[in-house]
Amino acid sequence: MPSRSRSGASKGARGGARMKASVDTRARKPVTVTPPADTDQPPFPGRARQPGDAGAGFRVAGYREAHQKPASLSRKIGPKKQRLTEPEQQQIPPGTGWMPSPKERPPSTLGVQRSIYFSSPEGHPTRLGPEFFDQPAVTLARAFLGQVLVRRLTDGTELRGRIVETEAYLGPEDEAAHSRGGRQTPRNRGMFMKPGTLYVYIIYGMYFCLNVSSQGDGACVLLRALEPMEGLETMRQLRSTLRKSSVGRALKDRELCNGPSKLCQALAIDKSFDQRDLTQDEAVWLECGSHTGLGPSELAVVTAARVGIGYAGEWTQKPLRFYIQGSPWVSVTDRVAEQTACSDKLFNCLNTE
């Protein structure tokens, strides 16, 4: 019996030794898992790294490696996941701290709005300078047709309209001009300033009219109508706010600027613009309209009598109003003058042949 005990004990010892050896062998087996690249970051989000967290970092990295998807599968899933998450990002309510990346941020609709139709090749608007305005009133009134009046509001929004109707006022000799007889007052001082100066006056105690001085003391050009080109909704809001009529219907596009006071309302022009320099002002200026292919030389211009000056005697019928024939934006059309213009044009064509 004792020998059997020794034999059993020796067997148990040998078995324990073998078990210990196998355990020691596994313990001594080198670890092949490499630490993550970002070992400076704590392995557990929300908690700072602790002294015993190094091994935990390795275990986390090993878990990631063991459960990582194949690269080809990730490439297939990636775009679809991005497409699904973009609408969710757009629905995130404000105040959560999330901001879209530059690629995700939608284009802004605010700020300065420039039209490509009236820009020079360098991308800057072609602003008309002093030499354009330095012309006699009649010549300037015709030259205005087809040019683009620009108004920049305080929020940076730019409103544009092409000039389609003007009237010339010749100065002291013109009985319909505010400068008739050569009289100069604080009210009409803009008419006597350098060409390109704005002269804004009030009619009926509530409406404004916009004029631009030309060559000659007391001579100027009245802007009567515009074709709206840019910022029509803003013009509509301004007209609805400033007009005195109680009509509640929405204004049609052709009603926005088809009159001297209407265009002032649509562009938010008031007495504060009086005596400003159209060649240098930052809120209102004139751009060349030749980029549209509708320069003054290509337009059919109608010459007619001015409107609303029945008190001026023989000057009432002077042909000092000019407008683009066929334009629906003109305030008042003159059928007789248009027929005469067509007859004259036909006569000139026959003579040139």
Side-chain angles (χ1 to χ4, degrees):
M1 295 298 291
S3 61
R4 183 179 299 175
S5 299
R6 286 195 299 271
S7 175
S10 62
K11 290 180 180 180
R14 287 195 298 272
R18 285 197 299 271
M19 183 179 296
K20 183 176 180 181
S22 64
V23 171
D24 293 341
T25 301
R26 286 195 298 271
R28 289 193 298 271
K29 186 177 180 179
V31 179
T32 59
V33 178
T34 58
D38 54 343
T39 54
D40 290 338
Q41 301 296 327
F44 304 105
R47 181 171 69 84
R49 181 184 293 278
Q50 303 298 326
D53 281 345
F58 298 161
R59 288 195 296 273
V60 171
Y63 178 85
R64 289 175 179 170
E65 292 177 359
H67 292 78
Q68 186 175 6
K69 295 183 178 65
S72 59
L73 182 60
S74 300
R75 285 195 296 269
K76 293 180 181 179
I77 296 178
K80 181 176 180 182
K81 182 178 180 182
Q82 184 178 3
R83 289 196 299 270
L84 292 176
T85 56
E86 282 178 354
E88 297 175 359
Q89 292 176 351
Q90 294 175 1
Q91 296 176 3
I92 295 178
T96 58
W98 176 84
M99 289 294 291
S101 66
K103 294 183 179 180
E104 297 171 340
R105 188 175 293 116
S108 175
T109 57
L110 301 178
V112 177
Q113 317 239 342
R114 297 192 181 276
S115 171
I116 62 174
Y117 300 106
F118 311 114
S119 298
S120 62
E122 293 79 11
H124 300 286
T126 306
R127 181 169 184 159
L128 295 175
E131 64 282 351
F132 173 82
F133 302 99
D134 193 11
Q135 306 182 56
V138 172
T139 308
L140 182 61
R142 295 179 66 95
F144 266 130
L145 298 178
Q147 312 301 348
V148 179
L149 184 65
V150 186
R151 168 77 166 94
R152 178 181 291 168
L153 304 179
T154 54
D155 64 354
T157 301
E158 291 186 3
L159 311 176
R160 280 178 168 80
R162 182 162 53 216
I163 301 172
V164 297
E165 184 181 2
T166 60
E167 286 181 352
Y169 290 85
L170 308 186
E173 62 177 317
D174 190 342
E175 292 296 326
H178 291 172
S179 58
R180 60 184 177 273
R183 59 183 180 181
Q184 182 177 352
T185 66
R187 175 175 177 262
N188 70 354
R189 185 171 180 272
M191 300 179 73
F192 294 87
M193 297 175 70
K194 69 177 183 177
T197 302
L198 296 183
Y199 169 47
V200 181
Y201 63 87
I202 302 175
I203 59 173
Y204 306 122
M206 63 181 73
Y207 300 119
F208 299 97
C209 293
L210 178 64
N211 302 259
V212 183
S213 64
S214 64
Q215 268 186 14
D217 287 342
C220 69
V221 176
L222 170 67
L223 305 186
R224 283 198 58 88
L226 305 176
E227 175 188 352
M229 301 292 292
E230 184 178 338
L232 272 67
E233 287 306 315
T234 301
M235 293 182 186
R236 206 181 321 276
Q237 294 174 7
L238 290 169
R239 286 273 287 116
S240 299
T241 302
L242 298 175
R243 62 178 176 159
K244 305 299 180 180
S245 175
S246 59
V247 179
R249 65 175 178 81
L251 292 170
K252 299 178 181 179
D253 291 352
R254 66 173 303 274
E255 298 174 313
L256 295 177
C257 303
N258 62 334
S261 297
K262 293 178 182 180
L263 72 85
C264 284
Q265 288 181 347
L267 301 183
I269 292 176
D270 54 22
K271 188 66 175 176
S272 65
F273 285 81
D274 186 42
Q275 300 182 21
R276 291 196 188 188
D277 187 351
L278 198 56
T279 66
Q280 297 182 0
D281 199 83
E282 295 298 325
V284 60
W285 64 88
L286 201 68
E287 290 178 356
C288 180
S290 60
H291 295 287
T292 64
L294 293 175
S297 60
E298 290 83 13
L299 299 174
V301 178
V302 177
T303 303
R306 293 176 291 188
V307 179
I309 56 170
Y311 58 87
E314 64 177 352
W315 286 87
T316 302
Q317 299 302 321
K318 295 285 186 182
L320 295 174
R321 182 166 68 98
F322 309 93
Y323 66 86
I324 299 175
Q325 185 172 2
S327 172
W329 319 97
V330 174
S331 64
V332 180
T333 58
D334 189 326
R335 300 301 180 189
V336 175
E338 290 182 4
Q339 293 174 1
T340 304
C342 290
S343 300
D344 293 343
K345 185 176 182 180
L346 178 60
F347 178 78
N348 293 333
C349 289
L350 293 175
N351 285 343
T352 54
E353 293 177 357

